[in-house]
Amino acid sequence: FFFFFFFQAEDGIRDRSPSRGLGDVYKRQVHGMQTYITGKLLVKPTRAKLTRDTEFMGKMDPYVKVQLGGTTFRTKTHNNAGKVPSWFDAFEFRRTSEQVMEFHVYDEDVTSDDHVGSGVLSLTNICVPGGKKFSDSVKLKHKDKDVGELFVEVDFYPDGSS
């Protein structure tokens, strides 16, 4: 005689919502154990060094879109800045469980704006207990090619801090 034992993967993992398959049970279990530090992020894109130029004649008019979750802010356009723009904008985001912040640099044009490059900043080492000030560059890419860097300052103020 041969005995086969089959164990149901969901045993011991029960919640109020019905299972939609083993993958969903596993994802809920891992996500349920993850804790996020919530708080306020103050973000300042300060300047960029770009290697990609989208203008054939004249200089680029760059601006930055900063995105965290479903919230997006846009800097003012730095007219005729070319490949070395700077900005003085500051944006306040509410961080809940987002793990990355996205930066998108565009060249403002009359008809449609050109995408210069994008970069992602991991929040893992920034959103820490006690808060943190971060000042560094984010590598920008366009179609998997390096197109420069964006310098940013990010201050994190966790909930409950003074």
Side-chain angles (χ1 to χ4, degrees):
F1 283 96
F2 290 96
F3 291 99
F4 293 96
F5 292 96
F6 294 95
F7 295 99
Q8 187 176 3
E10 294 179 349
D11 283 348
I13 305 173
R14 297 281 184 229
D15 58 19
R16 292 179 184 217
S17 61
S19 171
R20 295 180 307 253
L22 296 178
D24 287 337
V25 170
Y26 180 71
K27 287 176 190 170
R28 274 197 315 268
Q29 182 182 10
V30 171
H31 182 71
M33 292 188 301
Q34 181 68 43
T35 356
Y36 300 103
I37 300 170
T38 60
K40 178 175 74 170
L41 283 162
L42 185 61
V43 182
K44 300 175 193 173
T46 57
R47 62 189 176 95
K49 288 183 183 177
L50 306 170
T51 56
R52 180 169 187 257
D53 193 342
T54 62
E55 293 294 323
F56 294 110
M57 296 179 65
K59 291 187 173 185
M60 292 190 299
D61 304 309
Y63 66 89
V64 180
K65 283 187 178 180
V66 185
Q67 182 177 354
L68 180 69
T71 305
T72 303
F73 289 106
R74 179 193 190 280
T75 65
K76 292 182 177 114
T77 301
H78 188 162
N79 293 314
N80 293 313
K83 296 194 271 183
V84 289
S86 59
W87 301 275
F88 300 97
D89 304 271
F91 308 114
E92 186 176 309
F93 288 91
R94 176 91 189 120
R95 195 269 181 145
T96 53
S97 63
E98 299 83 6
Q99 295 299 301
V100 295
M101 180 174 286
E102 298 177 25
F103 296 89
H104 306 279
V105 178
Y106 292 91
D107 171 28
E108 186 174 82
D109 288 323
V110 175
T111 54
S112 67
D113 297 348
D114 299 317
H115 179 255
V116 178
S118 295
V120 175
L121 176 64
S122 172
L123 298 176
T124 306
N125 295 321
I126 297 172
C127 297
V128 296
K132 185 167 186 177
K133 293 185 182 289
F134 172 86
S135 182
D136 205 348
S137 64
V138 174
K139 301 292 182 201
L140 298 173
K141 291 187 175 281
H142 179 76
K143 296 184 179 179
D144 293 326
K145 288 187 178 181
D146 291 333
V147 295
E149 54 189 339
L150 174 68
F151 294 86
V152 298
E153 295 176 5
V154 180
D155 294 345
F156 179 64
Y157 303 97
D159 288 341
S161 64
S162 40

